[in-house]
Amino acid sequence: MPCSLCQPETTEPAQPDCPDCGSFPEDRAFARFFREFARPESGAKILDVAPPAPQLAYFPQERFLGGARYTAIAPVRLPEADSVKLPHRFIEMDITHLSFSDASFDMIICNHVLNYVRSDFLAMSELHRCLKARGMAFLNVSMMPGKSRRAGEGTGSPGSGREWRYGDDYFERLEAAGLFVLRLPLKALLKNFPEAGALPEDAQQVICFKFRDAMEAFRSGLSR
């Protein structure tokens, strides 16, 4: 059964790993959240950092972006980058050294990326710098109980490519970079999403803002 990402008309849950596009439930949950609650305005500028293959293939479409402009970046060119056509673009770029001007983007998507960045504070600071005053940044990461630490630290085992294993203080790390953090219960917000049952009960969407009033305005809009 194809998923709601590659077949938007479907109303049936897909297999955990979609046989058509390869997406996972968390990929599809974020896509649904983005469509229902982010709703970028025409002309908005969106930055997507190291997107997974299904997201890079499907996000540069009108059903997700409307009239917004999409820029995807990654340290190396991804195979799916050829699917990104003008007016959208793909650029090889390191998240810790963004070449964009201050306040360039209305929305930044950086999901499950910071775990793999050695200088995560520098990356968070760069995202803060490039975010517009009223913008929002989606910054989900994989987390574990306890304090954040370097992957493999204290265990004698390698981190399987990860630089960080984030704990409950992840949100404090974001705040130290100047960001205001909003944590939303994902399953409650997506109760009509056919694949919500595949998400953990404590699944959340982490959204960061440059200013508190922008965060409160977004939070208020969710209740209307």
Side-chain angles (χ1 to χ4, degrees), residues 37-57:
F37 299 104
R39 296 189 294 271
E41 297 180 354
S42 180
K45 294 182 178 180
I46 299 173
L47 175 65
D48 199 351
V49 181
Q55 189 165 298
L56 186 57

Side-chain angles (χ1 to χ4, degrees), residues 12 29 37 93 137 156 202 207 209:
E12 297 295 329
F37 299 104
M93 191 180 299
D202 60 351
I207 312 178
F209 300 81

Side-chain angles (χ1 to χ4, degrees), residues 5 30-31 34 48 54-61 64-65 70 109:
L5 185 58
F30 174 73
F34 188 88
D48 199 351
Q55 189 165 298
L56 186 57
Y58 291 106
F59 256 56
Q61 296 181 5
F64 289 109
L65 300 183
Y70 175 88
I109 304 169

Side-chain angles (χ1 to χ4, degrees), residues 103 108 123-132 174 177-180 209-211:
I108 296 175
M124 294 171 185
S125 300
E126 279 288 84
L127 296 178
H128 176 276
R129 180 184 67 80
C130 291
L131 192 62
K132 291 186 179 181
L174 292 171
L179 295 161
F180 291 87
F209 300 81
K210 207 164 191 173
F211 295 103

Side-chain angles (χ1 to χ4, degrees), residues 76-176:
V76 297
R77 187 169 182 82
L78 303 176
E80 298 78 17
D82 291 340
S83 67
V84 181
K85 307 295 185 184
L86 290 174
H88 312 302
R89 58 183 178 166
F90 177 91
I91 305 173
E92 292 182 38
M93 191 180 299
D94 186 332
I95 188 176
T96 62
H97 297 89
L98 299 178
S99 62
F100 306 113
S101 301
D102 294 357
S104 290
F105 294 97
D106 299 277
M107 296 180 183
I108 296 175
I109 304 169
C110 182
N111 287 329
H112 304 288
V113 173
L114 292 172
N115 293 93
Y116 301 91
V117 179
R118 178 172 293 274
S119 301
D120 66 333
F121 178 78
L122 182 55
M124 294 171 185
S125 300
E126 279 288 84
L127 296 178
H128 176 276
R129 180 184 67 80
C130 291
L131 192 62
K132 291 186 179 181
R134 307 297 295 180
M136 64 181 75
F138 305 93
L139 302 179
N140 291 326
V141 297
S142 299
M143 297 180 64
M144 55 177 279
K147 290 284 189 179
S148 298
R149 56 179 171 79
R150 292 280 185 184
E153 181 180 327
T155 67
S157 61
S160 301
R162 292 186 183 181
E163 294 289 345
W164 294 97
R165 294 190 181 276
Y166 288 116
D168 296 334
D169 59 334
Y170 168 63
F171 310 107
E172 297 173 17
R173 298 172 76 87
L174 292 171
E175 290 167 356

